[in-house]
Structures are given as C-alpha cells and as structure tokens.
Amino acid sequence: MAKKAESARKNIEIAPITRIEGHAKITVHLNDDGQVEDARLHLTQFRGFEKFCDGRPFYEMPFIVQRICGICPVSHAIASSKACDQILSVRVPNAGMRLRKLANLAQVIQSHALSLFYLSSPDILLGMDADPAKRNLYGVLEANRQLAYDGVYLRKFGQSVIAHLASTGKRVHPGWIVPGGVATPLSAEAREQMQAMIPGALAAAQRSLIWFKQAMENFREEIRAFACFPSLFMGIVGPDGELEYSDGLVRIVDSSGATIADELDPSSYQDFIREIAVPWTYMKFPSYKHLPPPENSLRVGPLARLNIIGKVDMPHAAQEWAEFRTLERGVVLSSFYYHYARLIEVLYSIEKIEAMLKDPEILGRRARAKAEPNCSEGIGVAEAPRGMLIHHYKINDDGLITWANLVIATGFNNYAMNRGVLQVAKHYITGPEIPEGVLNRLEAVVRAFDPCLSCASHAVGQMAMRVQLVGPDGAVLDEVIRG
Amino acid sequence: MRERNKARVATVWLDGCSGCHMSIFDMDDRLLELKDRIELVYSPLVDAKDYPKDVDVALVEGCIGNEEQRKFAHTMRASTKTFVSLGDCAVTSNIVAYRNPFKMHDVIHRAFIENSEGEIVLPQEDVPPLLPFAVPIHEIIDVDVYIPGCPPSADLIHYTLVELLEGRHPDIKNRFG
Ligand code: SF4
C-alpha cells in the first residue's frame, strides 16, 4: 500500500478499492480537531451507453446492453427486452416468460456467489484485520477448503444454468434473451443437465448459511457501523407480495417497515424517481421524488428485497427469511446483512429453479412473440442481483434508438454507500494515523453493497477507490493511496 | 518476494465490462487448482494496491478509455514479461468504441444533463479525464498475446495460461472462444 501524507492537507485516499466489481476511490475529510467530517465514494469510470446507443436498431439493444456488465448481463438483457416488448406491444408467451425468469434467478445465484465467496468471504472468514496478502480467495481455500469449493460450485451452478438455457451455450453475454421472449425453447436434455446439479447446489447453500450465521457473531461492531441507518427500501414484488425478480410492481417501504408506496407501475418510474448529478463522481444519485433529502434516499438489492416482501414462496428459504426478519424490529437496517440476505436469495433461487424446472410448461415450444414496432417508446424493469434496474428507450419511425435512459441498481445505493463510508470513517478513524484494518473496513462497507461499478458507470469509464482526509479548509491532511 | 516455483500473474480490468474476468472465474475448480502454480500478485481478487514489479503474465481486460488507464498501461508494460490482451475490448476496443463517433460533450450531456434533474453539474473533480477516443491496448503499448472473444471462453483462457506457464507461446485458433 502506498501512503502519501502531506502535512498541510487533511485528506486520506484509498485507490483503487480492491475486491469490488469496478473502479472507485474514497475520500475522508477531517475538521480542525482531526475529527471526520465528511467522506465520499467516487466513481471514476464513465462509459456513455445512454448516448452511443443513439442510431442503433432497437432490437440490437438487449445484445449491446449486456456489455454494460459481465456480471449481470442477463438482468440488462431482460430489462432491455421488456422495454422492447413494449415497443413491439406484444405479450411474451408463457414459456418465454418462464425461461427469462429462470435465467434471471440463475444470475442472482452466480452474482451473489461471486460477491460473497470470491470478494467478501476473506474478510468474513479471516477477519477484517487479517494479513492483506492472505485476504483473498486463495487464502480462503487454505483456511476453509469446503467454503471455497462451495462458493465456486454455487457460481458454477448459476453460470451453467445460463449456458444450458441459452442457445449460444455462453455463460457470459449469452444473447438469447430477445424482444418478444427468448430465441429458443428449452430442451429436455438441457433440463436434465440443470436438474443434476441442484442437489449439490442446495447442499452448498445450506452449508454456507450455517457458516455465515456463526461467523456473524464476530462482527457485532461492524453490524452496528456498516451503513446502519434508516432509509427507504425499494424493489419489485410479485402479485401476492412475494419475492420476485423479473415481473412485478414496485413497492417502497420506510425504515419503520411501513409501506409508503405500493403497486407502482415501473413504467411510470419518472413519477417517483429523480436522478441528480454531482461534480465529484460519475455515478448519479437517484432518489424518491416525493420526500425531501435526506429522507428520500433509497436502498435496493438483497437487503431491500427481503425487507419489502410479505412472503417467500419456497420452503427452506421461507424459513431462513423468517429468521432473518427477527434480526431487528421492523426492517433490517444494517448493510452488513446484505451478505446474509444474499445467501438466503441464493437458497431461494435454487429452490425456485428446481420448482420451475419440474413444471412441464417450462418445455413449451412457443417462447417468442414476433411483431413490428407498434410504439415509439418502451420501459423495462427487472431486479438485477444488486437491485431494481430500469431501461427506457425511444425510437424513430425506422426503429432506430433516438434516446435512452438507464437507471442502475448500484446508482440507487449511491447515497447509502456514501453515508456508509462516512459512518465507518467516523466510527473507526480517531486520529491522522489510519491502521490497515480500518482502511479495509472502509472498503468492506462498500463491498457489502456489492456495487457493480461497470453498471453504475454505464453512463463512460472506471471506478477506483482511495481515502482522503480533508481539513476544514478543504486541504488534504493525509492521503492513503491504494493503487 | 517471489514465491518459489510459482509464476507471478496479474489480471487487470481497464475499460471493459468485467465479462472477461467472469470468464477467468469460469475456469471454476481449475481456478482453485492454479493456486499451486501461480501467485496472484495483482487482480480484482486480491488486495494489492500497486502494480508490482516482475510480473510474469498479465491478463488484461478492456481497452484504454481515460488518461489514468493510458498511464497505467505504460506502468504495466514496464514490469510485465508477457502482456496478454484478453477479449475483444482489449484487442479491438469493441463496444467501448461505440462512443468514438460521438463528441465527448454529447455523451456527457446525455447522461448528466438531459437525464438528470436539479442543478446542472458535470463530474470533473476527483475523476480521471476521458480520452476523446477509446483505443485498443496495442495502440498504446506492445502486446505479446491476443485472445479475442466477447468474452473468450474459460477453456481458451486456461489453455493460454498453461501454455505460458510451460514456457510455450500459445497458438490461439479458437477465434471466437
Ligand atoms: S470483450 Fe466483451 S466480455 Fe470482455 S470486457 Fe469487452 S464487452 Fe466485456
């Protein structure tokens, strides 16, 4: 780690934040007494999808936008295809809907496995203060072989389901999800191959939950300090208020657990969401339109979904969810529990995939509706692993895109991540000297949200993380550069 | 410090979507088994913050899109024996170059002015300036091995890595991995 300190400046900087999906830095500002005053998370990448899609045929969009993110291409393809469904004004055939849902569940599994096992499990298994040289997947493999192999197996299961579903056989950027449905129906052989992996995946998820619940005991302080504050929680829910990732209406719940908005049509997102830009990061701040700051800030993703739903329709996951909801009164506020929520969602998704594959309708031959464009505008929404994702397109008479807006899950968490970094900084930084374990905690609170910075930077480029300690005059007191 | 008998490997993410890294992870068990043969000295998976000296193999995803990445490419090249451009973005700049025909002003304007509300502000503090054109890595530095694909398959990545570890130059036939 490079550490750069200039006595006249009060600023710590960590760059890049490691073990996250993207490029970011953190700056921490100090006041005259050396107390933490402010902290910021900066996204340093910007990619420009919203503009450069101008002029592309709309039916290319589900393929182009997959390249926003290699971790959640399926969610982008689904939100995009749903926007295109509206442009076509078609109803997706039953089998097509189900296959899209399956793919999205598979992606939840692989993405959560990546976040928890490949990126965060070193902190949880080895400790926040462990030797940085060991704090990685290979360190986990040495210390707990089963855990490492379980994580790899869960990710492999999710990725394999995507590859079996997609006619391209690809795990990353599978294509296949298209306007009107999916390109090809499911074969009985592919179904069998997926089914064969389910018992192993269930066992791995259950073992991991047992491990995590025990490990949580060691993180009481982090649980209190990791972005633990009131906020709104938002996501889509199914018709009976159940956990749902692909089709549903939007619900917003406040920090007491009260539903403040329900059954909102995601297509009218502009009526309840406002996006704001600031000069120091490429990530915008979307928030709830009908409340003033700071009450308008939202959290989305696994923690939010488990907070807003009224039920879970799979038996093992339902039990785990009931236990999860007893952690705190009302809703669960600590962002440390994002990890826990992720594991419960992994278990749910495996159970749900198993149930959906058993239903013979999944093999339905009609998987795609075809039509010419019938509308000049379309909006599609899906729950990406990291939370609600919106794609909004307008086309001209030739079917070419004239305008696009993408509101990304990680963006919704932007405010909470910034506040979480500040909370950790205030809790753990007591003087100008910052121990390595504290720097790691500043990164770990960001990791808990599993930000997908290539998604958030959809708008051109790259996020790198640093910590800066800034004095009241704006001078950088201390700067720790990690990168 | 060099671990004996292990190659020092870096995996780097420039202007890409992380999909090529997902394909590295798609080696699954083989990624864990590589532990005995490689030392991962720099990667989104490990906590090293500075690009180390004496890297044997660097697998690099993404093209060069901003000033920071351009400088970093030179830093990497100076400390790396075999530099691998991994995936279509690194090799051709792929999807990232879709922005090249547009003026930077228009790209930024769409995201931060048209599609935002409130005060008009543009990100310019604490964020690296973008290059007017996204370019493939070999326009900036010399590259030793090219693996095309969006992303290249895990098998192809594994094959390439093992060939390099064995001291051979990989023969990349599988054009679209
Ligand atoms: S080549 Fe494809 S998978 Fe790799 S970074 Fe570029 S868009 Fe992503």
Side-chain angles (χ1 to χ4, degrees):
Chain A
M1 182 205 329
K3 183 166 174 173
K4 202 165 75 188
E6 292 165 50
S7 54
R9 310 175 82 199
K10 297 186 180 180
N11 205 338
I12 320 166
E13 182 169 302
I14 308 180
I17 310 178
T18 43
R19 287 186 284 126
I20 55 164
E21 292 139 5
H23 306 251
K25 67 175 182 175
I26 298 175
T27 54
V28 179
H29 303 245
L30 294 190
N31 67 15
D32 273 339
D33 309 324
Q35 303 296 311
V36 172
E37 193 169 81
D38 197 7
R40 286 171 174 182
L41 171 71
H42 310 256
L43 174 70
T44 57
Q45 183 175 29
F46 178 70
R47 305 182 63 206
F49 278 81
E50 286 174 311
K51 181 67 188 173
F52 70 52
C53 291
D54 280 9
R56 309 297 306 193
F58 75 95
Y59 51 78
E60 280 186 1
M61 290 303 279
F63 301 89
I64 294 177
V65 298
Q66 289 185 54
R67 271 79 185 174
I68 289 174
C69 175
I71 303 159
C72 53
V74 168
S75 308
H76 283 288
I78 289 178
S80 176
S81 293
K82 285 176 72 180
C84 296
D85 297 344
Q86 286 195 356
I87 288 173
L88 301 175
S89 314
V90 293
R91 207 168 63 84
V92 176
N94 195 330
M97 291 279 259
R98 287 167 190 239
L99 291 171
R100 281 184 184 175
K101 271 181 206 232
L102 266 187
N104 210 14
L105 290 167
Q107 186 187 251
V108 165
I109 298 169
Q110 62 86 1
S111 171
H112 284 0
L114 169 71
S115 165
L116 182 62
F117 296 93
Y118 290 62
L119 303 176
S120 282
S121 77
D123 295 331
I124 299 165
L125 179 71
L126 309 171
M128 297 284 169
D129 301 294
D131 175 3
K134 294 271 178 211
R135 253 177 2 217
N136 56 55
L137 182 65
Y138 287 159
V140 171
L141 180 64
E142 249 165 42
N144 186 339
R145 202 177 157 76
Q146 181 77 58
L147 188 70
Y149 273 92
D150 279 347
V152 168
Y153 190 81
L154 286 168
R155 185 177 175 281
K156 176 180 172 179
F157 171 67
Q159 289 287 69
S160 304
V161 169
I162 293 168
H164 282 307
L165 288 170
S167 37
T168 54
K170 281 178 75 191
R171 289 173 162 209
V172 180
H173 305 331
W176 179 71
I177 296 159
V178 294
V182 296
T184 50
L186 180 64
S187 71
E189 300 76 60
R191 173 167 74 167
E192 253 168 58
Q193 279 162 327
M194 290 187 257
Q195 282 171 325
M197 290 184 77
I198 287 174
L202 273 177
Q206 278 161 334
R207 268 193 300 270
S208 305
L209 263 163
I210 293 170
W211 162 74
F212 185 85
K213 285 193 253 183
Q214 277 167 358
M216 267 183 349
E217 298 298 316
N218 308 326
F219 294 93
R220 291 182 187 283
E221 198 179 345
E222 283 79 5
I223 288 169
R224 281 197 306 274
F226 270 36
C228 183
F229 41 65
S231 75
L232 304 176
F233 296 92
M234 179 178 69
I236 62 172
V237 298
D240 294 324
E242 74 274 25
L243 193 53
E244 170 60 43
Y245 299 86
S246 298
D247 293 291
L249 296 174
V250 178
R251 178 179 285 176
I252 303 175
V253 163
D254 71 14
S255 51
S256 73
T259 300
I260 60 159
D262 205 5
E263 301 188 1
L264 301 172
D265 179 355
S267 297
S268 56
Y269 75 97
Q270 285 165 323
D271 295 341
F272 55 90
I273 288 163
R274 184 201 309 272
E275 286 188 273
I276 289 173
V278 298
W280 44 268
T281 172
Y282 283 128
M283 182 151 49
K284 288 187 281 189
F285 287 81
S287 60
Y288 182 56
K289 217 168 185 171
H290 303 301
L291 284 174
E295 290 113 79
N296 59 355
S297 80
L298 296 153
R299 273 182 276 180
V300 298
L303 181 72
R305 285 189 290 252
L306 296 195
N307 273 336
I308 62 169
I309 53 170
K311 73 175 198 194
V312 172
D313 61 359
M314 288 291 127
H316 295 299
Q319 240 171 23
E320 295 293 343
W321 175 67
E323 190 182 330
F324 175 86
R325 289 297 301 266
T326 62
L327 284 172
E328 292 175 30
R329 264 196 302 272
V331 291
V332 178
L333 293 181
S334 171
S335 298
F336 188 85
Y337 290 130
Y338 263 101
H339 296 303
Y340 187 7
R342 241 165 241 134
L343 269 174
I344 295 171
E345 288 198 322
V346 164
L347 179 64
Y348 168 82
S349 302
I350 301 168
E351 284 187 282
K352 189 78 181 176
I353 288 176
E354 185 180 31
M356 289 180 71
L357 285 177
K358 273 195 191 129
D359 187 336
E361 288 204 35
I362 198 75
L363 297 178
R365 297 287 91 189
R366 209 181 288 279
R368 179 180 188 179
K370 289 190 179 152
E372 294 291 311
N374 287 300
C375 250
S376 60
E377 189 167 355
I379 297 173
V381 70
E383 284 289 326
R386 290 155 195 79
M388 206 171 105
L389 164 69
I390 302 164
H391 281 233
H392 184 181
Y393 311 143
K394 291 180 188 167
I395 61 166
N396 65 15
D397 289 345
D398 299 322
L400 305 181
I401 298 282
T402 57
W403 179 88
N405 188 28
L406 314 174
V407 192
I408 303 290
T410 295
F412 284 120
N413 283 335
N414 198 359
Y415 183 76
M417 286 192 290
N418 270 282
R419 228 176 121 192
V421 170
L422 177 61
Q423 190 180 26
V424 170
K426 281 194 162 156
H427 187 93
Y428 289 99
I429 297 179
T430 45
E433 275 308 309
I434 305 166
E436 203 282 333
V438 171
L439 291 174
N440 188 38
R441 282 176 180 81
L442 284 165
E443 297 178 82
V445 65
V446 177
R447 274 179 216 129
F449 286 91
D450 184 26
C452 185
L453 303 166
S454 51
C455 281
S457 63
H458 67 85
V460 186
Q462 206 102 311
M463 184 151 173
M465 198 133 160
R466 310 170 199 187
V467 177
Q468 289 190 330
L469 222 39
V470 183
D473 51 354
V476 179
L477 170 77
D478 191 12
E479 186 170 29
V480 184
I481 300 192
R482 315 188 77 188
Chain B
M1 270 264 291
R2 181 172 273 274
E3 274 191 57
R4 252 190 303 156
N5 303 328
K6 285 193 184 179
R8 288 164 60 82
V9 173
T11 79
V12 181
W13 172 1
L14 299 177
D15 210 339
C17 78
S18 79
C20 289
H21 268 83
M22 293 311 110
S23 223
I24 296 176
F25 301 164
D26 281 337
M27 289 192 278
D28 300 331
D29 293 6
R30 288 175 293 179
L31 179 67
L32 297 180
E33 285 152 16
L34 277 169
K35 178 176 185 292
D36 299 330
R37 303 193 64 183
I38 67 168
E39 195 196 341
L40 212 47
V41 289
Y42 188 86
S43 163
L45 278 186
V46 304
D47 272 348
K49 302 291 179 184
D50 297 312
Y51 195 79
K53 298 259 173 288
D54 296 328
V55 173
D56 294 310
V57 179
L59 300 174
V60 184
E61 162 192 328
C63 64
I64 309 284
N66 68 34
E67 193 48 40
E68 212 167 76
Q69 291 160 349
R70 199 184 59 79
K71 285 203 198 107
F72 191 51
H74 288 288
T75 307
M76 286 192 284
R77 181 67 271 186
S79 309
T80 308
K81 214 156 86 191
T82 308
F83 192 105
V84 182
S85 274
L86 176 67
D88 284 347
C89 288
V91 176
T92 72
S93 64
N94 196 25
I95 191 92
V96 190
Y98 276 33
R99 75 166 164 87
N100 287 356
F102 295 94
K103 287 204 191 78
M104 213 56 239
H105 167 268
D106 296 344
V107 178
I108 301 240
H109 194 274
R110 169 66 55 85
F112 295 103
I113 296 179
E114 281 177 60
N115 293 354
S116 305
E117 294 181 36
E119 265 182 274
I120 293 181
V121 273
L122 289 178
Q124 50 209 353
E125 304 164 15
D126 287 317
V127 290
L130 296 162
L131 298 175
F133 300 106
V135 294
I137 299 174
H138 58 269
E139 281 208 24
I140 306 291
I141 54 164
D142 287 340
V143 168
D144 305 301
V145 179
Y146 297 86
I147 315 184
C150 180
S153 73
D155 288 348
L156 188 57
I157 297 172
H158 187 253
Y159 161 79
T160 306
L161 200 50
V162 169
E163 288 296 287
L164 291 172
L165 296 181
E166 299 286 341
R168 293 188 288 264
H169 193 87
D171 177 15
I172 314 266
K173 292 203 187 83
N174 189 352
R175 172 67 178 83
F176 289 107

